[in-house]
């Protein structure tokens, strides 16, 4: 038994010694060979890898939430294909470029719309990774899917096709409601609700009001390993690193129809409108389908002094005769007139220096006819029978002189969600309900202190189409996680009704009066359009830097029998006596709407 144990120990020790010897030999072999062995995934031995200082990266997506239109088309944060270049030592040495590589690079230059020499000059001077820039704006050049395929197939070392999330399209548009981004201040970074890095922060429009929802959870970047001089190690892969959170960034779906918005922007630009706004609301619910402001702005190039970032659709302007809708509503509600009541216009009212445009005598006419031809005499007479309080309450009941846009409390973790927080409430009287006739008469024709926004003007029509019920125009309808799952639907709602409402009968009368404007009044140029339309014109007197100027308005709805849209068109700061550009633009907008509806 002892003998047997000793034998076992002997053989066991021998085996162990042999194993240790093998291990020692193996270790020596590894140490001998290791310095020349290539590291997995690279062309470089470990000795060279020791020289690698760090990685070089380029941001492909800031991780900020994205905004979409009602059909899911991107409005801010569109992903496009771009060509990414990483610095390479070899790129500098022209002699090192083989004939085969040169052919590939020439092809790449063609795709990027530059010469081979320009391409090589740019590549050799690289110190940082580069997303090939486009000719205009800050955005990288967008590649079509076919171009992206081709560049990727070329397989040029150090060049890859990567997806890039560009915030804006790089051009000036009338989408001031989007706002823009600025560098975040230290305070903003500190106060970030998510506590995450916020390099850029929304400074106006939806970028600002929806900031807490738009903040992401980190950026996506492309990176490669570089040597001490910042050059990418030849053959080392260009990889993409993303936060990998399936829920963020959030997708915010607006009520905007992108193609309609673009179409109206083109119309307004073609019409030569310099200042003004167009608002298109869905007649069924008051949703904002298009909101165009002029002059256009480029969110990538905000000039502090320019002011073109102001959204004129949300800024209160002198309304002129479109305000006669309010005066007519007040008079009808008070029961002091009817559409058939007879008046006489000599062209001059005889008081307060008031006259009809160019002193035109309208002669004998009814209140309905006075509305159609926008006779100041008729409306001055009505105003003198009304009190300031009656005019004011009719305006408030129609959603003027107060904030009306959609809002929600305690939603999505926010105490107050108000996407169009920048809207101006406008005014009816700035001094409280004056009793003097002159003030009432001037107010009744939309002059003096009266200011309304193009959004309010369009919404007023939706109110009439809903029998006097004021809806709150909505621009944001749904918030979804990055994986498409809905986080929250944001249904439309009515504006607060505490200001009262006009009767359905008065609303009906006003709608029919507006039809008369088109059939026999100031909107006659709109007869013969594909859809029958109804509306009201306005030419307001303003002062710009002390010089008399006009605001031209036309607001209306259509088609008359089954209204689909309510539209306001405002052309600001035009010389008195100019042709009415607003009625023309209004007609063109409805032409576009009827074509795109296919009805
Ligand atoms: Zn008149």
């Amino acid at each position: 038994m002892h003998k047997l144990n000793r034998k076992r120990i002997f053989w066991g020790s021998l085996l162990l010694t042999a194993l240790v010897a093998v291990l020692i030999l193996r270790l020596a072999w590894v140490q001998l060979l290791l310095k020349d062995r290539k590291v997995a995934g690279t062309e470089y031995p470990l000795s060279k890898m020791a020289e690698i200082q760090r990685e070089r990266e380029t941001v492909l997506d800031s991780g900020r939430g994205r905004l979409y239109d009602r059909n899911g088309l991107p409005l801010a944060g569109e992903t496009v294909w771009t060509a990414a270049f990483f610095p390479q030592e070899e790129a500098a040495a022209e002699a090192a470029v083989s004939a085969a590589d040169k052919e590939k690079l020439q092809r790449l230059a063609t795709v990027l719309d530059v010469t081979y020499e320009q391409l090589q000059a740019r590549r050799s001077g690289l110190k940082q990774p580069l997303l090939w820039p486009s000719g205009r704006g800050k955005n990288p050049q967008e590649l079509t899917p076919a171009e992206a395929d081709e560049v990727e197939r070329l397989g040029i070392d150090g060049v890859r096709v990567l997806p890039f999330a560009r915030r804006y399209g790089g051009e000036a548009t009338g989408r001031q409601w989007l706002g823009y981004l600025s560098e975040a201040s230290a305070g903003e970074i500190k106060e970030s609700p998510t506590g995450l890095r916020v390099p850029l922060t929304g400074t106006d429009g939806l970028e600002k009001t929806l900031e807490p929802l738009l903040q992401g959870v980190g950026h996506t970047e492309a990176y490669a390993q570089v040597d001490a001089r910042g050059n990418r190690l030849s053959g080392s892969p260009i990889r993409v690193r993303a936060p990998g959170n399936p829920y963020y960034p959030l997708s915010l779906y607006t009520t905007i129809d992108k193609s309609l918005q673009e179409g109206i922007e083109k119309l307004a630009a073609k019409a030569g409108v310099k200042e003004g706004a167009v608002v298109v609301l869905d007649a069924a619910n008051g949703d904002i389908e298009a909101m165009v402001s002029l002059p256009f702005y480029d969110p990538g190039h905000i000039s502090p002094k320019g002011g073109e970032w102001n959204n004129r659709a949300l800024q209160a302007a002198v309304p002129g005769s479109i305000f006669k809708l309010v005066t007519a509503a007040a008079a009808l509600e008070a029961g002091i007139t009817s559409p058939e009541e007879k008046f006489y216009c000599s062209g001059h009212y005889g008081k307060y220096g008031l006259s009809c445009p160019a002193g035109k005598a309208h002669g004998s006419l009814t209140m309905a006819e006075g509305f159609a031809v926008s006779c100041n005499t008729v409306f001055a007479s009505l105003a003198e029978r009304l009190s300031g309080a009656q005019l004011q309450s009719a305006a408030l009941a129609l959603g003027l002189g107060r904030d009306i846009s959609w809002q929600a409390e305690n939603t999505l973790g926010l105490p107050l969600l108000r996407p169009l927080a920048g809207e101006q409430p406008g005014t009816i009287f700035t001094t409280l309900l004056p009793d003097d006739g002159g003030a009432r008469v001037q107010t009744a024709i939309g002059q003096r202190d009266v200011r309304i926004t193009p959004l309010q003007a369009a919404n007023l029509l939706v109110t009439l189409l809903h029998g006097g019920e004021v809806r709150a125009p909505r621009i944001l309808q749904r918030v979804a996680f990055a994986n498409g799952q809905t986080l929250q639907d944001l249904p439309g709602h009515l504006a607060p009704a505490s200001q009262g409402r006009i009767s359905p009968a008065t609303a009906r009368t006003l709608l029919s009066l507006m039809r008369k404007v088109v059939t026999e009044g100031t909107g006659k140029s709109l007869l013969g359009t594909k859809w029958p339309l109804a509306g009201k014109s306005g030419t307001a007197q303003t002062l710009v830097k002390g010089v008399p100027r006009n605001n031209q308005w036309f607001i209306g709805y259509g088609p008359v029998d089954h209204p689909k849209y309510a539209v306001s068109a405002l052309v600001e700061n035009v010389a008195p006596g100019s042709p009415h550009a607003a009625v023309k633009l209004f007609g063109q907008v409805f032409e576009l709407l009827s074509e795109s509806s296919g009805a």
Side-chain angles (χ1 to χ4, degrees):
M1 187 149 170
H2 281 264
K3 222 179 183 177
L4 190 66
N5 274 347
R6 269 204 299 275
K7 239 181 181 175
R8 271 190 183 170
I9 290 164
F10 170 77
W11 283 111
S13 316
L14 195 66
L15 187 66
L16 196 67
T17 308
L19 274 170
V20 167
V22 167
L23 275 173
I24 288 168
L25 277 172
R26 164 96 184 151
L27 208 63
W29 176 78
V30 166
Q31 278 174 342
L32 262 173
L33 294 186
L34 197 61
K35 71 179 168 98
D36 290 324
R37 265 192 116 198
K38 285 171 182 167
V39 177
T42 78
E43 294 294 311
Y44 289 84
L46 190 68
S47 53
K48 175 89 176 173
M49 291 296 280
E51 289 174 20
I52 295 172
Q53 298 271 307
R54 53 189 222 106
E55 296 165 349
R56 281 282 158 86
E57 65 283 316
T58 181
V59 173
L60 298 173
D61 183 346
S62 69
R64 191 171 175 82
R66 299 173 180 215
L67 290 154
Y68 295 93
D69 90 335
R70 56 171 49 217
N71 301 310
L73 297 172
L75 293 167
E78 182 173 10
T79 301
V80 297
W81 293 111
T82 60
F85 292 75
F86 281 74
Q88 300 203 163
E89 212 164 348
E90 308 89 283
E94 183 61 31
V97 178
S98 71
D101 281 350
K102 184 165 182 178
E103 199 177 311
K104 289 177 181 178
L105 288 164
Q106 278 168 334
R107 189 59 217 144
L108 177 62
T110 307
V111 170
L112 297 175
D113 206 18
V114 290
T115 65
Y116 171 80
E117 289 71 24
Q118 286 169 326
L119 175 71
Q120 288 299 80
R122 193 74 193 252
R123 280 183 85 206
S124 61
L126 281 186
K127 294 278 175 272
Q128 294 289 333
L130 172 78
L131 301 176
W132 192 264
S134 64
R136 51 171 199 193
K138 294 175 185 167
N139 286 329
Q141 183 170 334
E142 179 182 353
L143 301 179
T144 65
E147 288 170 338
D149 270 359
E150 184 177 0
V151 173
E152 199 63 356
R153 265 203 312 274
L154 290 172
I156 301 167
D157 193 32
V159 180
R160 272 204 65 186
V161 172
L162 293 169
F164 175 78
R166 66 177 180 203
R167 196 63 194 165
Y168 307 112
E171 61 210 2
T173 71
R175 283 161 236 184
Q176 282 80 349
W177 40 264
L178 270 177
Y180 57 96
L181 301 174
S182 317
E183 299 284 335
S185 69
E188 281 165 327
I189 292 169
K190 208 173 156 192
E191 284 165 25
S192 159
T194 53
L196 297 159
R197 202 166 73 102
V198 256
L200 292 170
T201 182
T203 306
D204 205 350
L206 299 182
E207 294 278 23
K208 182 181 183 183
T209 58
L210 305 178
E211 173 72 27
L213 302 173
L214 290 168
Q215 284 182 17
V217 291
H219 61 268
T220 299
E221 62 188 14
Y223 67 98
Q225 290 165 336
V226 294
D227 63 20
R229 292 158 63 193
N231 286 314
R232 173 178 156 271
L233 304 178
S234 174
S236 77
I238 296 165
R239 294 198 169 96
V240 173
R241 185 157 45 207
N245 183 318
Y247 300 106
Y248 291 88
L250 297 178
S251 297
L252 277 56
Y253 290 87
T254 68
T255 58
I256 296 290
D257 182 324
K258 190 181 185 182
S259 69
L260 181 63
Q261 174 82 25
E262 281 174 353
I264 296 173
E265 284 171 5
K266 282 190 191 124
L267 285 177
K270 205 175 159 196
V273 177
K274 300 274 188 295
E275 297 174 39
V278 176
V279 176
V280 178
L281 300 182
D282 183 336
N285 52 27
D287 279 357
I288 300 168
E289 296 214 19
M291 184 154 59
V292 174
S293 176
L294 298 119
F296 290 167
Y297 89 127
D298 178 356
H301 292 91
I302 294 295
S303 70
K305 286 178 188 167
E308 67 281 348
W309 66 86
N310 280 317
N311 184 355
R312 303 229 181 181
L314 302 181
Q315 295 197 319
V318 187
S321 293
I322 62 166
F323 197 75
K324 285 174 182 161
L325 275 163
V326 176
T327 308
L332 291 165
E333 288 286 281
I336 56 152
T337 191
S338 72
E340 296 76 33
E341 187 186 350
K342 288 239 161 51
F343 292 83
Y344 183 80
C345 167
S346 69
H348 296 273
Y349 185 58
K351 274 198 275 185
Y352 319 121
L354 193 82
S355 60
C356 278
K360 182 180 165 63
H362 288 113
S364 174
L365 75 178
T366 64
M367 181 270 203
E369 287 162 348
F371 185 87
V373 299
S374 207
C375 174
N376 285 340
T377 303
V378 170
F379 280 80
S381 309
L382 294 179
E384 297 221 61
R385 300 180 208 162
L386 292 164
S387 68
Q390 282 173 310
L391 273 175
Q392 171 127 325
S393 64
L396 290 170
L398 289 166
L400 308 179
R402 58 183 170 124
D403 296 329
I404 42 148
S405 69
W406 184 98
Q407 57 174 281
E409 287 174 7
N410 301 316
T411 300
L412 292 158
L414 303 170
L416 179 64
L417 176 60
R418 215 183 135 208
L420 298 180
E423 71 170 322
Q424 292 184 350
T427 52
I428 313 302
F429 294 100
T430 49
T431 48
L432 200 64
L433 309 179
D435 280 330
D436 78 285
R440 288 206 306 280
V441 163
Q442 289 295 330
T443 301
I445 61 166
Q447 291 288 153
R448 204 171 177 271
D449 302 331
V450 189
R451 303 286 184 277
I452 72 176
T453 69
L455 179 66
Q456 288 173 327
N459 198 51
L460 187 161
L461 305 167
V462 175
T463 299
L464 298 179
L465 292 167
H466 287 258
E469 206 171 56
V470 186
R471 306 198 70 84
R474 180 177 69 152
I475 193 165
L476 182 65
Q477 58 174 324
R478 185 166 78 91
V479 177
F481 288 115
N483 64 10
Q485 187 190 335
T486 295
L487 170 58
Q488 182 126 16
D489 278 314
L490 303 164
H493 64 74
L494 298 177
S498 53
Q499 310 287 355
R501 54 178 280 179
I502 64 162
S503 67
T506 293
R508 267 198 307 279
T509 304
L510 292 171
L511 291 171
S512 65
L513 290 179
M514 291 171 80
R515 176 60 183 156
K516 216 174 170 64
V517 170
V518 170
T519 55
E520 56 192 72
T522 53
K524 254 196 281 194
S525 61
L526 299 169
L527 268 180
T529 49
K530 190 170 174 184
W531 281 349
L533 305 174
K536 181 74 192 84
S537 64
T539 304
Q541 293 159 11
T542 61
L543 285 175
V544 178
K545 291 172 186 159
V547 180
R549 302 291 281 177
N550 282 352
N551 285 347
Q552 300 172 338
W553 291 80
F554 201 92
I555 66 173
Y557 64 94
V560 168
D561 296 337
H562 307 282
K564 287 185 175 178
Y565 299 101
V567 172
S568 69
L570 165 63
V571 179
E572 290 176 280
N573 193 14
V574 297
S578 305
H580 207 287
V583 66
K584 195 171 172 192
L585 184 57
F586 175 91
Q588 290 173 331
V589 168
F590 259 105
E591 207 173 311
L592 185 69
L593 288 167
S594 61
E595 279 164 12
S596 59
S597 291

